[in-house]
């Protein structure tokens, strides 16, 4: 897989269970609905700040974002211009791997809604 100029050797999805057992890795990570919401927002809008994520979701994303950072699915990539210089977030190569994508261009297109 290629992500932002880096390459990572990956295996076929059907071999995942065998490879996880061989390497002693924990099985598939379960993501909460809040984590999936937050990840989708970051994936489609990156780079994005936490206040922007909170505005879209309508609730605080602080704890969810902390867990996504810990799991390696999102990363801090700098600071935005403006008051307080909030942290900018983006997805990682691990995000692509977790969802079986080779690039962000493989994300399904967003459906337009009346609210935009």
């Amino acid at each position: 897989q290629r992500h932002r100029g880096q390459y990572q050797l990956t295996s076929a999805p059907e071999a995942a269970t065998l490879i996880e057992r061989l390497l002693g890795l924990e099985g598939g990570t379960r993501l909460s609905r809040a984590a999936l919401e937050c990840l989708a927002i970051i994936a489609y809008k990156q780079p994005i700040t936490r206040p922007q994520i909170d505005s879209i979701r309508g609730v605080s994303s602080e704890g969810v974002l902390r867990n996504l950072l810990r799991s390696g699915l999102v990363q801090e990539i700098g600071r935005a211009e403006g008051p307080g210089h909030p942290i900018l977030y983006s997805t990682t190569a691990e995000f692509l791997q977790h969802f079986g994508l080779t690039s962000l261009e493989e994300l399904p297109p967003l459906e337009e809604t009346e609210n935009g």
Side-chain angles (χ1 to χ4, degrees), residues 15-105:
T17 304
L18 178 64
I19 292 171
E20 287 171 351
R21 191 171 48 231
L22 178 70
L23 297 176
L25 301 175
E26 182 180 320
T29 305
R30 293 269 181 205
L31 295 171
S32 68
R33 182 180 179 132
L36 288 172
E37 280 180 2
C38 198
L39 266 177
I41 293 166
I42 294 168
Y44 283 100
K45 303 282 188 180
Q46 62 187 306
I48 189 168
T49 65
R50 197 190 87 210
Q52 291 169 321
I53 296 167
D54 293 349
S55 175
I56 293 168
R57 292 187 66 226
V59 295
S60 175
S61 301
E62 184 176 2
V64 173
L65 198 48
R66 190 177 327 114
N67 289 336
L68 291 172
L69 284 164
R70 193 175 311 129
S71 71
L73 296 174
V74 298
Q75 63 188 348
E76 296 178 4
I77 60 164
R79 297 218 172 236
E81 294 298 320
H85 298 287
I87 296 169
L88 289 167
Y89 297 97
S90 73
T91 56
T92 64
E94 287 81 12
F95 165 83
L96 294 175
Q97 183 177 358
H98 184 87
F99 291 98
L101 304 169
T102 57
S103 72
L104 293 173
E105 287 75 35

